[in-house]
C-alpha cells in the first residue's frame, strides 16, 4: 500500500526543466540574446517518450485470453476457450507474452486480496503485456488492497486499456472516519494500481497506459521505489478519499536508481493524464491533518527522510500535457525531490480541501525544477503557485488567472490573463482562439523532440508558435 503524507512544510514542490537557464533567479529578466539561443536552453539529452506499443517480442510468445464468461480449467489460448480470472493467465506468463482481457467484471478472490498480482517479469526485448481485448471494456473491481499489484521486482510490464474501480461506492465518509486509526482495513485504504518496490525487490520499466482508475480509498496510481515508469493517457479520479495514509491521484514516492542514470536523462514520464477529484476526506494518521490528495506528486525522491535507505534519485522526471483539476491538494506537486520538469500542463481549481493553500503547482523542499508553459487557474484569493524552501526553481512562460492573489514565483515571460477555456464547468479546457495562451509558449528543439503531441495526441505545433497548457490549438 502507498504510505505517505505530509504537513504544509513537508509537501513536495520544485521543478526544473533542463532547457531553462540553470540558476535563473525568479523575476530576473532574460536578455534577448539568451532567450533566442535555444542551444543554451537544451542541456538535457533529447530522449523521446517511450513507444506506447509493446517492445518487440520473441517469436515464441504466447497470447492468453481471459473472459467474464471463461473458466480457469480452459486452456486460455483462444477466445473460444478463455480463462475466467486474469490471475490464472498471469501465473503462466513468460517474457513476451500478452494477456488479452475481454468483457467482464473481475474481482479480488479474498477480502484482503488483489484482482491482479503481477510477480513475473518480461525482458528488455520481450515485455509482458496485460491489455483489453480490442473493442472490449473489462472492469477490475477491487475492495482489497490493490486492483493491480506489481511487486517482487516484476519489470518490463505493460498495463493497457483497463478500468480499475475501488471500494468508495460501497462505504461512506462516516464509516471511513470510524476507521481513521485503522491501518489494516483494505476497504478504506485500497489502491487502484500499485507498483511496489518492497523488500529490496524493486521494479523498473513499467508502462501504465490508457487506463481508467477511480473510486479507490487509497491512491489511484501509486509508484514506490521504482525506476523507468511511464504513466500516460490515464483517467484518474475520485481516489484518496478514505485512506489514513495520505494518498493522491498519481504518486511517485522514493524513486529508485536501477542504474547509473543521471539528471540529464528522462527516466519517468507522467504525460497526457486527466486527474481530478482526488482528495483526502479522512485525516492522515501521522498527524491528524487533512493534506495531500494531490493530482500528481513526485514525493521524497531525495530519499533522505522517513527511514529511506536508498540513494538520492538521479534521473529526471517529465510531467507534461496533463490536466489536473479540482483535487484536494495541489494540481502538481513536488516534495523533497529534484530533477523534475513540469511542462505544458493545465491546472484548474485545485486546493479543494479546506485549509490547503499550496497553489495549482507547488515546489516544496525541492530543487532543479522547471515549470514552463503551464496554465494555472486558482479560485478567487487563493494562491496560484507556491515555491517553499526550494532552490534552482524556474517558473517561466506560464499563464496565471487574475484572481486577486499575488503570484508567488514569477518568470519574465509569465502572463496574467483569462485563459479562455471552452467550458471548464464540464472539464473542457481547450482554448478559444482569442486566448493569450495560444502561440505564446516557449518553443525549442528540446521541447519539440520530447513533446510531439498535446493532451489529445494532436501535433504540439500547429500555428505560428507553441501554446501554453495541455492543449494545442489546431488550425
Amino acid at each position: 500500500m502507498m504510505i505517505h503524507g505530509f504537513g504544509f512544510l513537508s509537501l513536495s514542490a520544485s521543478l526544473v526543466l533542463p532547457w531553462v537557464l540553470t540558476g535563473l533567479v525568479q523575476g530576473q529578466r532574460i536578455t534577448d540574446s539568451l532567450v533566442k539561443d535555444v542551444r543554451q536552453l537544451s542541456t538535457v539529452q533529447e530522449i523521446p517518450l517511450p513507444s506506447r506499443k509493446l517492445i518487440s517480442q520473441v517469436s515464441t510468445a504466447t497470447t492468453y485470453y481471459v473472459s467474464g464468461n471463461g473458466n480457469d480449467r480452459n486452456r486460455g489460448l483462444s477466445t473460444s476457450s478463455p480463462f475466467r480470472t486474469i490471475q490464472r493467465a498471469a501465473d503462466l506468463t513468460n517474457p513476451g507474452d500478452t494477456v488479452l482481457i475481454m468483457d467482464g467484471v473481475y474481482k479480488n478472490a479474498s477480502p484482503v486480496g488483489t484482482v491482479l498480482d503481477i510477480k513475473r517479469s518480461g525482458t528488455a526485448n520481450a515485455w509482458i503485456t496485460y491489455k483489453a481485448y480490442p473493442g472490449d471494456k473489462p472492469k477490475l473491481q477491487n475492495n482489497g488492497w490493490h486492483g493491480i499489484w506489481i511487486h517482487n521486482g516484476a519489470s518490463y510490464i505493460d498495463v493497457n486499456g483497463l478500468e480499475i474501480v475501488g471500494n468508495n461506492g460501497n462505504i461512506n465518509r462516516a464509516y471511513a472516519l470510524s476507521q481513521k486509526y485503522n491501518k489494516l482495513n483494505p476497504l478504506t485504504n485500497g489502491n487502484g494500481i500499485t507498483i511496489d518496490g518492497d523488500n529490496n525487490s524493486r521494479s523498473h520499466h513499467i508502462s501504465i497506459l490508457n487506463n481508467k482508475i477511480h473510486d479507490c480509498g487509497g491512491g489511484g496510481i501509486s509508484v514506490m521505489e521504482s525506476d523507468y515508469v511511464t504513466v500516460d493517457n490515464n483517467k484518474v479520479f475520485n481516489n484518496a478519499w478514505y485512506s489514513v495514509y495520505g494518498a493522491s491521484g498519481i504518486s511517485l514516492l522514493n524513486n529508485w536508481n536501477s542504474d547509473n542514470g543521471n539528471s540529464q536523462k528522462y527516466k519517468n514520464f507522467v504525460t497526457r493524464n486527466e486527474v481530478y477529484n482526488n482528495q483526502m476526506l479522512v485525516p492522515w494518521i501521522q498527524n491528524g491533518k487533512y493534506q495531500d490528495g494531490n493530482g500528481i506528486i513526485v514525493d521524497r525522491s531525495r530519499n533522505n527522510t522517513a527511514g529511506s535507505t536508498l540513494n538520492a534519485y538521479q534521473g529526471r522526471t517529465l510531467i507534461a500535457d496533463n490536466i489536473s483539476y479540482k483535487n484536494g491538494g495541489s494540481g502538481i506537486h513536488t516534495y523533497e525531490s529534484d530533477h523534475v520538469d513540469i511542462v505544458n500542463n493545465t491546472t484548474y481549481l485545485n486546493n479543494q480541501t479546506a485549509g490547503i493553500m499550496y497553489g495549482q503547482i507547488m515546489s516544496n523542499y525541492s530543487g532543479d525544477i522547471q515549470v514552463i508553459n503551464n496554465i494555472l487557474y486558482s479560485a478567487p484569493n487563493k494562491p496560484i503557485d507556491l515555491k517553499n524552501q526550494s532552490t534552482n526553481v524556474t517558473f517561466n512562460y506560464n499563464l496565471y488567472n487574475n484572481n486577486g492573489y499575488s503570484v508567488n514565483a514569477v518568470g519574465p515571460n509569465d502572463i496574467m490573463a483569462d485563459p479562455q477555456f471552452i467550458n471548464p464547468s464540464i472539464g473542457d479546457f481547450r482554448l478559444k482562439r482569442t486566448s493569450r495562451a495560444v502561440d505564446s509558449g516557449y518553443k525549442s528543439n528540446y521541447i519539440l523532440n520530447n513533446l510531439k503531441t498535446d493532451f489529445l495526441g494532436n501535433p504540439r505545433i500547429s500555428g505560428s508558435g507553441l501554446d501554453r497548457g495541455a492543449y494545442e490549438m489546431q488550425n
Side-chain angles (χ1 to χ4, degrees), residues 178-318:
S178 76
Q179 301 294 302
K180 66 180 180 179
Y181 300 114
N182 188 353
K183 298 180 179 181
L184 303 178
N185 189 348
L187 299 178
T188 55
N189 294 302
N191 292 334
I193 297 178
T194 305
I195 305 171
D196 192 353
D198 59 349
N199 300 321
N200 296 317
S201 297
R202 299 181 177 91
S203 297
H204 56 88
H205 292 89
I206 307 292
S207 290
I208 307 297
L209 314 175
N210 309 313
N211 303 285
K212 182 161 67 172
I213 303 103
H214 59 99
D215 291 287
C216 301
I221 301 174
S222 299
V223 182
M224 296 178 285
E225 296 187 10
S226 301
D227 199 10
Y228 289 101
V229 176
T230 296
V231 180
D232 178 73
N233 197 35
N234 300 282
K235 191 170 185 176
V236 184
F237 60 99
N238 293 355
N239 302 294
W241 288 5
Y242 299 139
S243 175
V244 304
Y245 291 112
S248 291
I250 300 173
S251 176
L252 277 64
L253 174 66
N254 295 127
N255 291 337
W256 161 66
N257 300 296
S258 65
D259 56 19
N260 295 321
N262 59 62
S263 63
Q264 302 304 306
K265 177 182 178 182
Y266 284 130
K267 300 176 75 179
N268 299 314
F269 298 85
V270 181
T271 52
R272 300 195 308 139
N273 301 286
E274 182 179 3
V275 189
Y276 62 95
N277 201 30
N278 302 284
Q279 180 177 5
M280 287 180 62
L281 301 179
V282 171
W284 184 36
I285 195 169
Q286 195 77 5
N287 61 10
K289 295 181 179 179
Y290 292 88
Q291 53 192 62
D292 285 280
N294 304 289
I296 300 168
I297 181 171
V298 179
D299 204 348
R300 299 197 317 222
S301 69
R302 288 178 175 173
N303 294 316
N304 59 358
T305 58
S308 175
T309 60
L310 302 178
N311 294 326
Y313 189 64
Q314 297 302 315
R316 296 198 77 84
T317 296
L318 177 64

Side-chain angles (χ1 to χ4, degrees), residues 34-42 442-446:
L34 290 179
V35 170
K36 294 176 182 177
D37 189 354
V38 172
R39 288 172 297 175
Q40 296 192 43
L41 302 181
S42 302
Y442 179 73
K443 178 175 65 173
S444 71
N445 289 334
Y446 169 82

